[in-house]
Amino acid sequence: MTHVSHSRPSGDAARIALIACAVAIAGMLLAPLATLGRGFSADAILLHISGSVMNLSSSQDAPLPPTATVVALAWATLASLVATLAGAVTRQRWFWLTGLLAFALAVAAVFTLGGALNDEINRISADTALRPGAKRQLRNFYSSGGMNLGLFLPALAGLIAAGAGLSQSSRAWAVLNRLRGLLVPAAAIGLAVLVGAVVVLIVQPAVNESGLPLTLWNGWMAKADLVYFVYSTLFAPVTAFGPLLDSLKIATPLIFTGLSVAFAFRTGLFNIGAPGQLTMGAIGAMLVGVYGPASLGWGLLPLSVLAAAAGGALWGAIPGLLKARFGSSEVINTIMLNYVASSIFVFMIGSESFPFLGRTYTQPFKAEGSNPQSELLQEGSRLPPLLDLLNVGGSGQTAVSIGLLVAAVVFFAGRVLLRGRVKNGTLIAGVAAAVLAAVTWRIGIPVDVTGSRLNGSFLIALACVALFGTLMWRTATGYALRAVGLSPRAAEYGGISVARGTILAMTIAGAFAGLAGTHYVNGGALNEYRLTLNTPVNVGFDGIAVALMGQSTPAGVVASSVLFGTIDTGSINVQQKLDKVSNDIVTILKALIVLFIAAGGFLSRRVTDPPPPQLVAEADRTGKTAQASLDASAAHLERGTPLPNVVQSSEQIKREGDK
């Protein structure tokens, strides 16, 4: 690809920087700059950029940390944002520098504030006149302080502006152009957060534990702080190891079901049957785990996992076969099979006996007792907790190995560095990652976490992610499946069997969903290693939202699953501290994200799918698009694999394939 130098930043990138800076400037002036302390009921001491302090907490006599340096850095950040805004309006080449400066100043203000709060915590700890209970309360009060919207928004805007300003470089613009697939989910998340903030402002009164009446300005500041508190708490689990494990536990089945839906999307199919496939996978895992030969020992575990995949694959293959043979809609078939799977599920463990042709038979799968559940799985078929697998500590201490983290960093860094430079770069990066993982495996980080239910199924999910990416983009089979999804008629003309591709795609998609059953049955995510009637099979429907948000890519599915798991975990803390905000805010956010993604984030196609950078640069230079052209090789590099049009009805796709 020939590199064309831009005379100035891209117009679209400049507009994005302009909007980000304008929002950040408004946030600095109209929202709290920082939180100097926060009580258990979300009551806070708020600092504004003007230097004024508003104490809405129950600790009216709490000493305040010094804030002069933080305020000075905030004013410098504001000046940098104004300069960046002016540069973005006129598309100056330098505005990426002022954006980067705004980011650096905002981050410096955050660290300065953190240092001041830590000094206050240390002073309290050393104060011998305070009771232990009072010390603990004050330490928690100050440790809950930190940045607010007035520092978060400029840091984010500065980073966005710096990236947008670099679009003047052809290399940087090529990178940004390849990342355009992130624009729709990013815009959808932003719009969902905005609408969710409006909901929070309406339903939740301002938190004021001071007992003093609120003026109009103070009331607005308290409301703005309320919005930041809700969202910072929702996303807080990523900042602590224990809550992060809880988030990954919730994300694990979402990864499986998200991959299931995404795989079908990529092949032009709409898999609504993930709940039923998960159910059949869980049943298969239970049957092998409970009734398999005990003599196999730990060999029973892989058989049970394979049984889960087989159960889901069978339930996915049925609608695939019906569509390939009779042209019936996979949407309707998968939905109906969900009910069939649910009925089989209830039949097997819902009762100890059942009548048939006038006789009553004993139900062999239900455990004794009133609870609808199966027998416990044998020891050899259970997936151990992830902390046990990664623990390299001794003497009862838990220390998590850094081997997997090192392997991941080396692999992805190696792929980036070796791509296009060395033959078989991915293989070399994989071997290097495996070697370094083995070398660093015994190096552990001590952690203080107990009772985590995150289990080995998370590693199975990551293996499925790798399988998805390899099969779909690195094999001839994946090429054929993508061809069927993009255009069944063209694929058939090229010698690809649409019927075989349809059956195979639905079978693999069902296997991914079926493996989610290992999380609940083999992994004991519901606190017991058995199949229970309260298994949340409806997580299969959440896989649709995960796949849409992740743009049907393996990495996107993992990212969106972790996001959903994080806000599900964080919502528990929000509900504990705010009486009017419940878990429903998470449901609203998920629904809005899907809604806005379906609407394309309300972004124009020029933004989400712009022309190649060479064409833009030539048109920018001459004012005539006719002057721009691409040779065949450059055009081929610019074309990625688009997401198939899954909005088409299955009947329409079938008619196209039959022509």
Side-chain angles (χ1 to χ4, degrees):
M1 182 187 300
T2 57
H3 297 291
V4 181
S5 298
H6 292 277
S7 59
R8 52 183 180 167
S10 159
D12 291 332
R15 279 188 286 273
I16 292 174
L18 189 154
I19 295 172
C21 290
V23 171
I25 292 171
M28 295 192 75
L29 297 175
L30 301 177
L33 189 71
T35 306
L36 302 182
R38 191 181 297 277
F40 180 79
S41 300
D43 48 313
I45 301 177
L46 304 176
L47 172 68
H48 188 253
I49 192 173
S50 63
S52 62
V53 176
M54 182 173 60
N55 192 341
L56 300 178
S57 73
S58 57
S59 303
Q60 289 296 300
D61 55 349
L64 302 179
T67 58
T69 305
V70 176
V71 172
L73 288 170
W75 279 107
T77 303
L78 181 62
S80 299
L81 284 175
V82 172
T84 306
L85 181 67
V89 170
T90 55
R91 293 175 61 187
Q92 298 295 323
R93 294 174 58 88
W94 48 259
F95 80 75
W96 72 271
L97 284 172
T98 53
L100 189 61
L101 178 62
F103 169 75
L105 289 170
V107 171
V110 172
F111 277 101
T112 302
L113 175 65
L117 292 173
N118 285 333
D119 291 341
E120 198 66 31
I121 293 173
N122 293 333
R123 185 189 64 79
I124 292 169
S125 300
D127 192 343
T128 58
L130 286 174
R131 294 179 294 105
K135 284 186 179 182
R136 183 169 56 253
Q137 183 178 359
L138 284 174
R139 283 198 299 266
N140 293 337
F141 180 79
Y142 288 112
S143 63
S144 299
M147 66 176 174
N148 209 296
L149 284 174
L151 286 178
F152 172 76
L153 290 177
L156 180 62
L159 200 59
I160 292 174
L166 289 174
S167 62
Q168 61 188 291
S169 165
S170 58
R171 291 180 181 272
W173 177 245
V175 173
L176 294 174
N177 196 41
R178 286 196 298 269
L179 296 177
R180 65 179 179 267
L182 299 177
L183 289 175
V184 170
I189 292 173
L191 290 171
V193 167
L194 181 62
V195 176
V198 174
V199 173
V200 171
L201 290 175
I202 294 174
V203 303
Q204 176 65 44
V207 178
N208 179 18
E209 298 290 327
S210 66
L212 302 175
L214 293 178
T215 63
L216 184 62
W217 172 249
N218 289 351
W220 165 251
M221 290 284 286
K223 283 282 193 175
D225 170 65
L226 184 65
V227 171
Y228 180 77
F229 169 75
V230 168
Y231 284 111
S232 62
T233 305
L234 284 178
F235 293 98
V238 298
T239 63
F241 188 70
L244 177 60
L245 293 181
D246 293 336
S247 301
L248 293 179
K249 185 193 77 170
I250 297 175
T252 298
L254 292 176
I255 295 175
F256 285 116
T257 57
L259 290 175
S260 174
V261 177
F263 196 91
F265 276 173
R266 282 287 172 186
T267 59
L269 300 168
F270 208 148
N271 180 24
I272 312 295
Q277 293 151 14
L278 188 159
T279 300
M280 298 306 294
I283 292 174
M286 180 273 294
L287 290 175
V288 175
V290 174
Y291 304 103
S295 59
L296 291 176
W298 286 104
L300 201 58
L301 176 58
L303 288 181
S304 183
V305 172
L306 290 176
L314 172 64
W315 228 240
I318 294 173
L321 179 63
L322 292 174
K323 180 178 179 63
R325 180 65 180 85
F326 303 106
S328 57
S329 170
E330 79 279 6
V331 175
I332 297 175
N333 290 333
T334 51
I335 290 176
M336 293 299 102
L337 283 172
N338 286 339
Y339 291 105
V340 177
S342 177
S343 299
I344 295 174
F345 184 32
V346 174
F347 171 76
M348 291 182 66
I349 64 172
S351 176
E352 295 179 348
S353 61
F354 63 94
F356 183 70
L357 297 178
R359 298 182 60 183
T360 300
Y361 297 87
T362 301
Q363 175 58 268
F365 304 110
K366 182 182 178 300
E368 293 184 1
S370 59
N371 293 330
Q373 59 189 15
S374 71
E375 299 285 354
L376 282 170
L377 268 68
Q378 301 177 56
E379 288 283 347
S381 62
R382 299 179 185 180
L383 284 166
L386 193 62
L387 283 181
D388 291 349
L389 287 173
L390 302 181
N391 184 23
V392 294
S395 303
Q397 183 186 32
T398 301
V400 178
S401 171
I402 67 171
L404 288 182
L405 179 61
V406 170
V409 172
V410 170
F411 177 74
F412 289 110
R415 283 194 62 190
V416 173
L417 294 175
L418 299 177
R419 178 181 296 171
R421 295 181 175 89
V422 178
K423 186 178 180 180
N424 297 325
T426 300
L427 178 60
I428 295 174
V431 172
V435 171
L436 287 177
V439 171
T440 59
W441 183 261
R442 299 304 304 175
I443 302 175
I445 301 175
V447 295
D448 185 17
V449 177
T450 58
S452 172
R453 305 302 299 182
L454 179 64
N455 54 76
S457 63
F458 177 69
L459 300 180
I460 299 176
L462 296 184
C464 289
V465 170
L467 175 63
F468 185 125
T470 303
L471 176 63
M472 187 61 73
W473 284 281
R474 300 288 181 181
T475 66
T477 300
Y479 176 82
L481 292 175
R482 284 185 288 124
V484 171
L486 291 170
S487 177
R489 184 180 179 185
E492 192 78 43
Y493 183 79
I496 298 173
S497 172
V498 174
R500 188 188 308 117
T502 299
I503 298 172
L504 179 61
M506 289 301 295
T507 300
I508 296 175
F512 283 143
L515 284 169
T518 62
H519 177 65
Y520 300 110
V521 179
N522 302 87
L526 299 178
N527 299 323
E528 285 189 294
Y529 294 96
R530 65 170 87 225
L531 181 64
T532 62
L533 201 60
N534 64 342
T535 301
V537 296
N538 281 338
V539 73
F541 290 122
D542 291 337
I544 301 174
V546 167
L548 287 173
M549 183 176 169
Q551 299 291 281
S552 294
T553 63
V557 166
V558 173
S560 53
S561 298
V562 173
L563 172 64
F564 283 1
T566 298
I567 60 178
D568 279 334
T569 304
S571 66
I572 298 174
N573 290 330
V574 174
Q575 190 173 10
Q576 289 176 345
K577 297 185 177 183
L578 298 177
D579 55 349
K580 299 296 184 181
V581 178
S582 65
N583 290 336
D584 292 337
I585 187 67
V586 174
T587 304
I588 292 173
L589 284 176
K590 291 179 181 179
L592 289 173
I593 288 172
V594 175
L595 175 65
F596 291 132
I597 285 179
F602 296 114
L603 298 173
S604 69
R605 187 170 181 180
R606 174 180 172 80
V607 175
T608 59
D609 189 18
Q614 294 96 326
L615 302 184
V616 175
E618 186 67 21
D620 235 5
R621 186 177 65 83
T622 64
K624 298 179 180 179
T625 57
Q627 299 289 332
S629 63
L630 290 176
D631 57 38
S633 61
H636 174 71
L637 289 174
E638 289 299 335
R639 288 194 298 267
T641 302
L643 188 64
N645 183 14
V646 297
V647 180
Q648 284 181 293
S649 67
S650 58
E651 290 79 6
Q652 183 178 355
I653 296 175
K654 179 65 170 59
R655 285 197 301 270
E656 184 182 353
D658 289 341
K659 288 180 181 178

